[in-house]
Amino acid sequence: MEPILNFAQLTAHLKKLNHRKRIAVVCANDPNTEYAISRALEEGIAEFLMIGDSTILKKYPTLKQYPEYVKTIHIENPDEAAREAVRIVREGGADILMKGIINTDNLLHAILDKEKGLLPKGKILTHLAVMEIPTYHNCFLFGCCGHSASHATTTHRDDLVCYLYLPPLGIEQPRVALIHCTEKVSAKFPHSLDYVNIVELAEAGEFGNVIIDGPLDVRTACEQASGDIKGIVSPINGQADVLIFPNIESGNAFYKSVSLFAKAEMAGLLQGPICPVVLPSRSDSGLSKYYSIAMACLQVSRDCECRKQASQVTNSSF
């Protein structure tokens, strides 16, 4: 697979696969979500189960053009709609869960239900984003631990590295930068001590064919000249493909700042649940929500391919 360097290449790759993924959408009662769904239908990458107020959903003109790929379940209460969507995913009726205009907290409550939710025991919930910035040479991923700074452990960050490394953008050896406000390791910054452990694990081959270094600040991770000026020697060399932030506060601030001031296009997913969860902000553009759908479809396709390859290896051993 050739590296996917922008969102246009992502759509082109999915269209070549010619297989629609099944997406359960909770409360798709807003124009931006409608645009994203309509675009995915037109591109041929997904089919949808719309769970919410069908009196609103049936007004969307584009959805009427694809009756074979759109079904609706009428549930007016958002919490009930979220629980039904989660149940459908758990029972194999959908490959992807998507948030519409429902509050994030309401949807997460259904996802995190210990008995009927989607997060396996022992897994962490974190947010992964892919961004395309006009001034940067390729798409890159970033994420943060879905915990506050005081509760994010080294194990959580190890899991996060795995989440960010696995998404199938076709980068043969991704460069992962562990982000902090300084490049110095100090007991005053506990995150930097965690980073040392992660780098050691990476050098021992724990995460596969990946380069990991840190702590680095965003600029030295993404601009070689900044590292040269500071005299920083790093295998990242200003060419980061992946940024990992120490906590949800810093990651969210970066996400909102780059999208607003740098006009970055975004795709966002939750990692940790049994399926990709498209969880855009309610204020995200329709295009950003479409790219999030596309990224989720790519992850499902890659997961299916990995399971197929694993099955072939297992069968050939007998």
Side-chain angles (χ1 to χ4, degrees), residues 34 53-64:
E34 179 194 359
D53 188 342
S54 61
T55 59
I56 297 175
L57 298 173
K58 290 178 179 178
K59 295 179 181 179
Y60 293 169
T62 307
L63 304 187
K64 298 177 182 179

Side-chain angles (χ1 to χ4, degrees), residues 25-29 49-58 71-88 101-102:
V25 189
V26 183
C27 300
N29 304 337
L49 178 59
M50 315 284 282
I51 305 166
D53 188 342
S54 61
T55 59
I56 297 175
L57 298 173
K58 290 178 179 178
K71 298 179 180 179
T72 60
I73 296 178
H74 178 73
I75 301 177
E76 295 184 19
N77 182 279
D79 291 326
E80 292 180 11
R83 288 192 292 269
E84 177 63 10
V86 166
R87 182 193 67 79
I88 290 169
I101 200 65
I102 184 174

Side-chain angles (χ1 to χ4, degrees), residues 15 20 72-73 169 208 241 252 260 262 269 283 300 315:
K15 292 177 72 171
R20 293 179 183 266
T72 60
I73 296 178
L169 289 178
D241 301 300
N252 184 269
L260 176 61
L269 297 176
S283 63
V300 171
N315 292 336

Side-chain angles (χ1 to χ4, degrees), residues 52-316:
D53 188 342
S54 61
T55 59
I56 297 175
L57 298 173
K58 290 178 179 178
K59 295 179 181 179
Y60 293 169
T62 307
L63 304 187
K64 298 177 182 179
Q65 299 176 24
Y66 301 90
E68 69 272 36
Y69 298 124
V70 180
K71 298 179 180 179
T72 60
I73 296 178
H74 178 73
I75 301 177
E76 295 184 19
N77 182 279
D79 291 326
E80 292 180 11
R83 288 192 292 269
E84 177 63 10
V86 166
R87 182 193 67 79
I88 290 169
V89 170
R90 279 179 61 91
E91 296 180 0
D95 306 305
I96 297 163
L97 179 65
M98 181 176 178
K99 168 182 175 285
I101 200 65
I102 184 174
N103 289 335
T104 297
D105 289 349
N106 295 69
L107 184 58
L108 286 179
H109 184 75
I111 292 172
L112 298 176
D113 186 290
K114 292 182 179 180
E115 295 183 0
K116 300 179 181 179
L118 300 178
L119 187 69
K121 185 177 181 179
K123 292 291 185 179
I124 66 165
L125 188 70
T126 193
H127 188 262
L128 163 69
V130 181
M131 64 166 56
E132 180 181 333
I133 302 177
T135 55
Y136 202 62
H137 64 278
N138 67 302
C139 275
F140 67 90
L141 301 100
F142 71 92
C144 57
C145 255
H147 298 259
S148 68
S150 60
H151 291 90
T153 67
T154 302
T155 301
H156 292 152
R157 294 194 179 90
D158 290 348
D159 287 343
L160 180 56
V161 171
C162 292
Y163 291 154
L164 289 168
Y165 175 51
L166 288 175
L169 289 178
I171 302 171
E172 184 175 343
Q173 188 182 45
R175 300 186 183 199
V176 179
L178 307 175
I179 300 301
H180 212 281
C181 61
T182 177
E183 294 83 9
K184 296 180 180 179
V185 176
S186 171
K188 295 180 180 180
F189 302 111
H191 302 316
S192 67
L193 302 179
D194 293 344
Y195 287 171
V196 171
N197 180 65
I198 292 174
V199 171
E200 290 175 349
L201 291 174
E203 291 175 345
E206 184 73 19
F207 304 114
N209 188 27
V210 58
I211 297 172
I212 301 179
D213 196 28
L216 296 168
D217 69 18
V218 171
R219 191 154 189 166
T220 54
C222 299
E223 183 185 62
Q224 182 178 350
S226 293
D228 292 343
I229 291 171
K230 290 185 175 183
I232 295 171
V233 178
S234 169
I236 301 296
N237 201 29
Q239 300 293 314
D241 301 300
V242 179
L243 307 180
I244 292 182
F245 288 84
N247 50 53
I248 195 170
E249 295 91 342
S250 57
N252 184 269
F254 178 75
Y255 179 97
K256 297 293 176 62
S257 298
V258 175
S259 61
L260 176 61
F261 297 115
K263 307 303 178 184
E265 297 292 352
M266 299 282 192
L269 297 176
L270 281 187
Q271 298 289 293
I274 62 174
C275 76
V277 179
V278 178
L279 196 80
S281 169
R282 284 174 292 169
S283 63
D284 279 352
S285 69
L287 196 57
S288 175
K289 293 184 179 185
Y290 164 70
Y291 290 145
S292 298
I293 289 173
M295 193 65 202
C297 291
L298 182 66
Q299 182 170 330
V300 171
S301 295
R302 183 55 182 163
D303 288 347
C304 290
E305 183 62 26
C306 288
R307 286 194 294 269
K308 181 180 178 181
Q309 292 175 358
S311 177
Q312 290 174 345
V313 170
T314 301
N315 292 336
S316 66

